[in-house]
Amino acid sequence: MLFSVFVRNNKNLLLEIKKNGSNDGVHTIYTGYNVDNENRGEHQGWNGNETLPYWKTPYCNMINGTDGTIFPTFLEDPHSLYIFSPDLCRSLLFDEQLEKQSVDGLDTSKFYLPAQVFNASDPDNKGFCVDESVCKDGLLDASKCYASKLTEDIPHVPFFNFTLQLSAIISSPHFMYADAQVIHSVNGMHPNETLHETFINVHLEMGVVVRAAKRIQVNTVLKQTPFLKQIKPLKNLPDNWTQLMPVFWLEERLYDNDAVIDEIKSKFVMPQSVVTLVSYCGVAIGIFLLIIAISIFVCCPIPYKTLIVDLDKDVDEDRDNLIGGEGDLRLANHRDGSSDA
């Protein structure tokens, strides 16, 4: 990021400070190691602090969510995700799009930055209204945050006291989601969700981002000053004149990451497909064997013979045998008695 700001000291000396680099601070996050998967990628702090110092309420100063590149694994349709953005100096709530999106044959869920995030009338956003004059839908006054960041990069000079005066108003490109009055105040603004939307595509099972686009616009508030009155085309502007002017808008884009997608397919999707296929084959084989068993039972019954038992006849025969046995026993006893006599 490259832009210029002005530093005013006690003698009204103007200095130009430039910032160009990708360092956005020290992020302290949970790794998800062992049993901490539900907090995987979540911020514990930023630059050594667990909260932000820029906004008016504790809720707005909270550091929530991940950095937008990694999430817990096996997310079950979360409907929304928190992401902390150092560029906007705040946490952002992304909403899930209802329809799933296929990225190079990989099923993903798309999460986008809704208009409600910059809705000034939302009670949750009241703490972001640092300056009521620019507290409008679609705008975020990040002047205090950017001034603090740039002050840290300015080398300390003894006996040189200055106050950093900076106007940094963040919005979506072309003032998308802003009031119509703001959009029409600058010629050439044509907001388009396809071109200017911020979004991420997440593979929920693996918790990784496979496609993303971050698009923001940096604006500044111009005011009438004694310096501007010396410029002939601007000298007739009223003393209370102000104008919100776009400076630039930028896009950070993650195109379809073939390496990540191929790795997800080979190490997760393919084994999962094989397990699913084997399960279905096992069920199909079981059903097939059951059909064969039923068919054999119906078409080829087992032959059997009928056994007729006359219970009355069997009982009579057993009784006769019993009586006959007792008579023989009495006769044998009688003979034994006669022999003794």
Side-chain angles (χ1 to χ4, degrees):
M1 184 181 295
L2 174 63
F3 57 92
S4 301
V5 298
F6 294 97
V7 178
R8 185 183 301 276
N9 69 355
N10 294 334
K11 297 182 180 180
N12 295 326
L13 175 67
L14 295 180
L15 301 177
E16 186 177 20
I17 306 298
K18 295 184 178 181
K19 180 177 177 66
N20 189 9
S22 57
N23 181 18
D24 59 0
V26 178
H27 298 255
T28 305
I29 65 172
Y30 293 97
T31 62
Y33 177 73
N34 202 3
V35 296
D36 198 27
N37 175 66
E38 63 180 8
N39 293 324
R40 180 172 180 252
E42 295 284 335
H43 274 88
Q44 187 184 33
W46 181 59
N47 286 336
N49 301 310
E50 295 184 358
T51 59
L52 300 173
Y54 310 123
W55 311 112
K56 296 167 58 176
T57 63
Y59 175 79
C60 293
N61 280 320
M62 295 175 65
I63 301 177
N64 296 320
T66 74
D67 66 347
T69 61
I70 189 171
F71 297 92
T73 57
F74 298 101
L75 289 171
E76 297 181 358
D77 290 332
H79 303 299
S80 61
L81 292 174
Y82 267 109
I83 294 176
F84 173 66
S85 173
D87 290 336
L88 275 66
C89 309
R90 58 164 293 185
S91 300
L92 304 170
L93 183 65
F94 282 67
D95 287 341
E96 183 182 17
Q97 184 173 286
L98 295 179
E99 298 82 9
K100 301 293 183 181
Q101 281 194 351
S102 177
V103 178
D104 196 14
L106 197 66
D107 290 336
T108 67
S109 293
K110 179 181 177 181
F111 295 85
Y112 63 95
L113 191 63
Q116 288 78 4
V117 170
F118 296 141
N119 189 345
S121 59
D122 190 333
D124 291 337
N125 291 333
K126 290 299 182 182
F128 296 115
C129 291
V130 178
D131 184 354
E132 294 294 334
S133 63
V134 293
C135 187
K136 301 178 181 179
D137 287 348
L139 304 178
L140 176 69
D141 185 2
S143 302
K144 183 178 179 180
C145 172
Y146 276 55
S148 176
K149 290 182 178 181
L150 291 171
T151 301
E152 296 174 356
D153 295 338
I154 298 175
H156 177 69
V157 180
F159 310 107
F160 185 75
N161 297 320
F162 61 87
T163 300
L164 185 61
Q165 296 181 342
L166 172 66
S167 173
I169 313 300
I170 308 300
S171 69
S172 294
H174 288 248
F175 293 125
M176 187 173 67
Y177 305 137
D179 291 335
Q181 181 181 1
V182 174
I183 297 175
H184 298 316
S185 67
V186 179
N187 292 332
M189 296 292 101
H190 304 288
N192 185 321
E193 284 193 358
T194 302
L195 301 176
H196 305 142
E197 181 184 50
T198 295
F199 69 89
I200 56 174
N201 282 76
V202 183
H203 187 264
L204 296 182
E205 287 78 5
M206 296 300 294
V208 297
V209 177
V210 296
R211 178 189 291 171
K214 180 173 70 174
R215 297 153 174 162
I216 62 174
Q217 179 173 296
V218 179
N219 315 278
T220 189
V221 176
L222 301 179
K223 297 181 179 180
Q224 179 62 290
T225 63
F227 175 75
L228 290 181
K229 286 186 177 182
Q230 299 176 12
I231 301 176
K232 187 174 181 180
L234 304 177
K235 67 178 182 179
N236 295 326
L237 293 173
D239 292 339
N240 61 348
W241 174 82
T242 62
Q243 175 62 49
L244 181 63
M245 182 64 62
V247 180
F248 62 87
W249 75 270
L250 59 90
E251 177 185 57
E252 292 183 19
R253 185 71 184 265
L254 172 65
Y255 293 94
D256 300 355
N257 194 328
D258 294 335
V260 173
I261 292 175
D262 291 341
E263 187 169 1
I264 293 176
K265 286 182 177 180
S266 62
K267 295 185 178 181
F268 179 79
V269 177
M270 182 62 68
Q272 190 179 49
S273 301
V274 171
V275 171
T276 302
L277 180 61
V278 170
S279 300
Y280 285 146
C281 290
V283 172
I285 292 173
I287 294 175
F288 178 72
L289 294 176
L290 180 61
I291 293 174
I292 291 177
I294 295 175
S295 301
I296 293 174
F297 181 78
V298 173
C299 300
C300 305
I302 300 175
Y304 61 90
K305 296 181 179 180
T306 303
L307 179 63
I308 300 176
V309 179
D310 189 349
L311 295 179
D312 293 337
K313 180 179 179 181
D314 292 342
V315 171
D316 292 340
E317 291 179 352
D318 292 340
R319 184 180 55 189
D320 294 341
N321 293 333
L322 182 59
I323 294 175
E326 292 178 350
D328 294 339
L329 180 60
R330 287 195 298 268
L331 180 58
N333 292 335
H334 177 70
R335 290 178 178 175
D336 292 340
S338 299
S339 302
D340 294 338

